[in-house]
Amino acid sequence: MTALKRLDHVAVLVPDLEEALAFWQDQFGLLLDHVETVSSMAVKIAFLPLGESEIELVQPLSEDSGLAKFLAKRGPGLHHICIEVEDIAAKLADLRSRGVRLIDEDPMLMDDGRQLAFIHPQSTGGVLLELYELP
Amino acid sequence: MTALKRLDHVAVLVPDLEEALAFWQDQFGLLLDHVETVSSMAVKIAFLPLGESEIELVQPLSEDSGLAKFLAKRGPGLHHICIEVEDIAAKLADLRSRGVRLIDEDPMLMDDGRQLAFIHPQSTGGVLLELYELP
């Protein structure tokens, strides 16, 4: 079984990134690495490193997106966690063979070389779980 | 400002620990460190280390507890995150002075020497946030 390496990040869904940073950065004291707009996913994300992990604050930019609907339905707060694995293709194949329901059958390749895939909360007991393989 | 050290754990609220372990341990491949019953909080917790963090699976043992009510209302899934700080008393004092709403005004001292306190989700933007100071 391919290795599970570390908790890469915890994603927090927020309606307003500036307001969220007023807590996590200004009041709580996390350092802001950078803010990135990911047009393809209609989100703006703030990356706040913490040890070997990150807190990611995610603001939906479109009212039609799944994230915006999640936010409207459930309110702001914890959205998903992401775990770095050694070999994401092997991990997905292994999970599939065990009957785990995947959102992404194959890893998506990002511009920076990262590969990622989501596992369905139906199989995890309510947790939206993302996997990363880093280049 | 006292240092924020690492993400200690992510807590997942589950109705049935055995069923949750069937995914996180047997299918997903995390290693189970141990299971502990905390009578004072009416919970059974499974600890699954991952890098410098842990995934904690939390099963309420009483139907009256706040956790059981949260589970009934929101369903199973992500419940809170815990961040290790260098000096929890200093951190709480600092947060209080910045107007952050605390659940625990003073840290609670556990039998193992750990000190912990919760910050109210109203101040964090919907995230129940726990702080640890380890002995």
Side-chain angles (χ1 to χ4, degrees):
Chain A
M1 202 183 274
T2 185
L4 303 171
K5 298 177 81 170
R6 69 191 167 91
L7 194 58
D8 183 273
H9 64 263
V10 172
V12 177
L13 203 52
V14 307
D16 183 308
L17 208 51
E18 292 314 309
E19 198 182 293
L21 284 170
F23 172 74
W24 292 99
Q25 179 183 25
D26 302 341
Q27 295 188 307
F28 190 60
L30 285 172
L31 298 177
L32 175 63
D33 189 75
H34 68 290
V35 173
E36 201 177 315
T37 297
V38 185
S39 307
S40 62
M41 298 176 69
V43 289
K44 197 161 64 169
I45 307 177
F47 296 83
L48 302 146
L50 175 61
E52 65 180 21
S53 305
E54 279 181 329
I55 307 284
E56 293 188 8
L57 306 174
V58 181
Q59 178 192 334
L61 296 175
S62 147
E63 290 191 3
D64 302 335
S65 70
L67 285 170
K69 286 172 191 162
F70 187 103
L71 183 60
K73 189 176 167 195
R74 303 269 300 181
L78 297 170
H79 182 259
H80 71 266
I81 59 173
C82 176
I83 291 174
E84 187 197 348
V85 301
E86 201 169 68
D87 182 339
I88 194 169
K91 193 69 191 171
L92 292 176
D94 180 65
L95 291 170
R96 197 181 297 115
S97 77
R98 294 169 191 272
V100 172
R101 183 171 167 196
L102 308 177
I103 293 176
D104 304 300
E105 290 295 328
D106 296 299
M108 289 178 281
L109 179 62
M110 302 290 110
D111 287 346
D112 58 8
R114 223 177 348 138
Q115 295 180 73
L116 64 86
F118 282 91
I119 299 172
H120 201 283
Q122 198 177 66
S123 281
T124 65
V127 177
L128 180 59
L129 177 57
E130 184 177 23
L131 302 180
Y132 267 6
E133 178 184 332
L134 298 182
Chain B
M1 203 184 273
T2 185
L4 303 170
K5 298 176 82 170
R6 69 192 168 90
L7 194 58
D8 183 274
H9 64 263
V10 172
V12 177
L13 203 52
V14 306
D16 183 310
L17 209 51
E18 294 313 310
E19 198 181 295
L21 284 170
F23 172 73
W24 291 99
Q25 180 183 24
D26 303 341
Q27 295 188 307
F28 190 60
L30 284 172
L31 298 177
L32 175 63
D33 189 75
H34 68 290
V35 173
E36 201 175 315
T37 297
V38 185
S39 307
S40 63
M41 297 177 70
V43 288
K44 198 162 61 169
I45 307 176
F47 296 83
L48 302 145
L50 175 61
E52 67 181 20
S53 305
E54 279 181 328
I55 307 284
E56 294 188 7
L57 305 174
V58 181
Q59 179 193 332
L61 296 175
S62 146
E63 291 192 2
D64 302 334
S65 69
L67 286 170
K69 285 172 190 161
F70 187 103
L71 183 59
K73 189 176 167 196
R74 303 268 301 180
L78 296 171
H79 182 258
H80 70 266
I81 60 173
C82 176
I83 291 174
E84 187 197 349
V85 301
E86 202 170 68
D87 182 339
I88 193 169
K91 193 69 192 171
L92 291 177
D94 181 66
L95 291 170
R96 196 181 299 117
S97 78
R98 294 170 190 272
V100 173
R101 183 172 168 196
L102 308 176
I103 293 176
D104 304 300
E105 290 295 329
D106 296 299
M108 288 177 282
L109 179 61
M110 302 289 109
D111 287 346
D112 59 8
R114 224 176 348 138
Q115 295 180 72
L116 63 86
F118 281 91
I119 298 172
H120 201 283
Q122 198 177 66
S123 280
T124 65
V127 176
L128 179 59
L129 176 58
E130 186 178 21
L131 302 181
Y132 266 8
E133 179 184 330
L134 299 182

